[in-house]
Amino acid sequence: PFFALCEIRAPCCWGTIASPMLRTTANQLWTRVVPAARQAYPAAGVATQRTFAAAAADDDAHAPPLNLFGLPARYAAALYTAGSKAGNLATVQAEFKTVIDAANADKKFKVFLEDPTMPKAKKVKALSDFCDGAKFAPITKSFLVVVAENGRLDQNQKIYDALEEYTLAAAGQKKATVTSAQPLTPEQLKDLTAKLRGHVDAGEDLKIETKVDPKLVGGFTVAMGEDFFDLSLMSRIRAMEQELAKPV
């Protein structure tokens, strides 16, 4: 039920972190239900109000340390909060990564998970068996089952990336993903790292992850939390194409 809230779309992406979203839902229910309940059971109304307040405070204590936008971030926030409350966030994160690594290593498994024409019931059964065989934590299994039921398994990598950003931020670290058309030389990476440190708060450690994508043609892109820098040749080509497409 908790993970199912990931599919709720809040206006203007304000529902990124699970706890504010849960409070909004609770408040809506409170507005509709409580007036009548108070008339019938005054004492129960006071007790219920305290329960909601305690739940909201508990969610805040386990919420991710930063805001990230988008559907994958909502799923990641829900998983972070659940794992934090259970005290086994590191285990849940490692188990989730095991599933992603298994899909990346086995093309058939990856296609099976991400194929939209494959019945969801089969995916749920396969993931449940996988989790049981690997002795995954109940939270990990429940989360993967909900993602499968919602048809979002193709978002697993993005969900994990957001989850990693949350855990790194909680540990005082910031991740920068550098994607270049060709592998960067040690000198290029050193120079870029020095420049990126200017975007890191005092006391934070910077973790650099490099990827290669020939589609960029040349240059590179950098993703750091909510920031995205596009210095690729492809972006310049697209900008030029848009300019040339304008009527004279």
Side-chain angles (χ1 to χ4, degrees), residues 167-215:
T167 55
L168 285 173
Q173 297 180 309
K174 193 166 188 177
K175 178 183 176 182
T177 302
V178 180
T179 305
S180 55
Q182 295 87 26
L184 298 176
T185 65
E187 284 300 318
Q188 289 174 326
L189 184 57
K190 181 180 178 180
D191 184 55
L192 180 58
T193 300
K195 289 181 171 61
L196 291 177
R197 289 194 184 282
H199 296 272
V200 176
D201 294 334
E204 278 188 326
D205 292 327
L206 179 63
K207 178 182 178 182
I208 302 288
E209 179 184 32
T210 59
K211 297 181 179 180
V212 176
D213 184 1
K215 295 178 183 178

Side-chain angles (χ1 to χ4, degrees), residues 103-166:
N104 290 335
D106 187 337
K107 186 176 180 180
K108 289 184 179 179
F109 183 45
K110 185 177 180 67
V111 170
F112 171 77
L113 294 180
E114 298 183 1
D115 184 358
T117 65
M118 185 69 64
K120 293 179 181 178
K122 286 187 176 181
K123 295 183 180 183
V124 169
K125 177 66 166 57
L127 280 172
S128 294
D129 292 343
F130 185 97
C131 292
D132 290 340
K135 301 186 184 304
F136 280 0
I139 289 176
T140 310
K141 178 180 177 180
S142 297
F143 177 76
L144 289 170
V145 166
V146 169
V147 175
E149 289 175 341
N150 291 342
R152 303 294 186 181
L153 289 172
D154 61 332
Q155 299 293 305
N156 272 354
Q157 184 63 61
K158 292 181 179 180
I159 295 172
Y160 180 82
D161 289 343
L163 178 64
E164 186 180 37
E165 287 200 49
Y166 289 144

Side-chain angles (χ1 to χ4, degrees), residues 12-148:
C12 302
C13 298
W14 284 31
T16 304
I17 288 183
S19 55
M21 181 170 60
L22 287 171
R23 287 201 301 275
T24 300
T25 304
N27 288 336
Q28 290 172 347
L29 291 173
W30 185 264
T31 301
R32 283 182 288 175
V33 175
V34 168
R38 277 179 175 162
Q39 292 179 1
Y41 307 100
V46 174
T48 306
Q49 187 175 20
R50 288 174 181 168
T51 300
F52 272 120
D58 187 47
D59 285 334
D60 280 341
H62 296 280
L66 75 163
N67 291 334
L68 294 177
F69 300 118
L71 185 65
R74 285 201 291 274
Y75 276 92
L79 184 57
Y80 180 98
T81 301
S84 177
K85 284 183 177 181
N88 64 345
L89 178 58
T91 298
V92 169
Q93 182 178 0
E95 291 173 347
F96 187 23
K97 190 173 189 303
T98 297
V99 175
I100 295 174
D101 289 344
N104 290 335
D106 187 337
K107 186 176 180 180
K108 289 184 179 179
F109 183 45
K110 185 177 180 67
V111 170
F112 171 77
L113 294 180
E114 298 183 1
D115 184 358
T117 65
M118 185 69 64
K120 293 179 181 178
K122 286 187 176 181
K123 295 183 180 183
V124 169
K125 177 66 166 57
L127 280 172
S128 294
D129 292 343
F130 185 97
C131 292
D132 290 340
K135 301 186 184 304
F136 280 0
I139 289 176
T140 310
K141 178 180 177 180
S142 297
F143 177 76
L144 289 170
V145 166
V146 169
V147 175

